[in-house]
Amino acid sequence: MARDLPNLLALRAFEAAGRHLSFTRAAEELFLTQGAISRHVRGLEDELGVKLFHRRARSLELTAQGAAYLATVRQAFDLLASGSRQVRTSRTRIRLKVALTASFAANWLLPRLPHFATAHPDIGIDFEPGIQMIDLSAEGIDAAIRYGRGAWPGLDSTALMLEEVFPVCSPAVLSKAPPLHTVADLVHHNLLLSGPRSDWDDWAAAVGLDLQSVPRQTMLYDYNLVLQAAIDGMGIALGRRILIEDRLKSGQLVQALPQTLRDARGYYLVTLPARRDDKSIDAFRKWLLAEAAVEA
């Protein structure tokens, strides 16, 4: 069954005239003559059997029925415009699949991601969080954000931010026994580790601490769990400044010892060499570098 719809040109003429309350301005908007707008509106009135405008000598005024009909027409046009935008977006939107650790996603990337969506509405990001090093080619990953020293065979890497690490804990841990004034005092505390080979190894080597001499060590595997355990007063974590800056500012965590390690370990965007110049990946890379520069 055919829909009982008025002429679309007549509806557009009516909507523009009703919005401007002027046939002249409606004609300018739709690139028609004033006479054409008037004829379209008159034809619509004849088809509907109602008067839509009061035509004054120097003004145009909607009738009560005209005002009600204008609201309906505008709502329908808004719905059509929205649907059209969605179709265009679904046709042109690019999706990047990015692998990264959940800790970096939760503590640094996700709070900033709305900035990327605003700057690049045509690029969507799908995340693959995990602590395992994924084979980009085999898993269909476009790019990955990795923590390390930047040397991964067969991959192109771009340094985003170099990290600095130092012991952190809750303020409550510092305020009660056992004391924590020197590196040697760590033997009386519980160390919170995020993996079999953690940042603690490099930091301990740099400050002359034998990790084997610390009897209490809790392996949590996930850095988000490490941070939460430290906030809850369960022990001493090795803080990555980039990921804990907000917690330091809020006072949830405090630096437990002054020894800070700075080296080439940090966050890198890695891609397959053949994908380095991909426009969407390059846009993501440049945005990450810009955001990282704000933190420097």
Side-chain angles (χ1 to χ4, degrees), residues 7-14 16 23-41:
N7 179 277
L8 181 58
L9 288 176
L11 288 176
R12 291 189 66 194
F14 165 65
F23 286 164
T24 300
R25 293 183 62 187
E28 292 171 353
E29 178 180 314
L30 299 179
F31 300 101
L32 297 172
T33 65
Q34 180 179 346
I37 295 292
S38 179
R39 286 194 298 275
H40 281 308
V41 172

Side-chain angles (χ1 to χ4, degrees), residues 226-275:
V226 168
L227 293 183
Q228 190 57 54
I231 291 170
D232 293 340
M234 292 177 57
I236 313 299
L238 201 65
R240 302 179 190 174
R241 183 177 293 281
I242 290 169
L243 301 189
I244 66 169
E245 194 65 43
D246 289 344
R247 291 174 172 83
L248 292 173
K249 290 178 180 178
S250 69
Q252 287 181 299
L253 292 173
V254 294
Q255 185 165 349
L257 292 168
Q259 288 83 355
T260 298
L261 176 64
R262 300 177 180 87
D263 65 3
R265 184 172 293 195
Y267 298 94
Y268 293 78
L269 181 72
V270 300
T271 64
L272 295 170
R275 299 289 307 280

Side-chain angles (χ1 to χ4, degrees), residues 206-217:
V207 301
L209 172 68
D210 179 9
L211 283 177
Q212 299 304 315
S213 68
V214 183
R216 290 191 298 150
Q217 300 184 23

Side-chain angles (χ1 to χ4, degrees), residues 29 58 108 140 188 228 235:
E29 178 180 314
R58 296 183 178 275
W108 193 88
H188 305 298
Q228 190 57 54

Side-chain angles (χ1 to χ4, degrees), residues 165-180:
V165 296
F166 44 85
V168 297
C169 61
S170 72
V173 169
L174 288 185
S175 66
K176 61 184 180 182
L180 184 56

Side-chain angles (χ1 to χ4, degrees), residues 54-71:
H54 293 301
R55 294 161 174 80
R56 313 296 186 191
R58 296 183 178 275
S59 65
L60 196 65
E61 180 183 338
L62 285 160
T63 64
Q65 289 173 307
Y69 191 51
L70 177 64

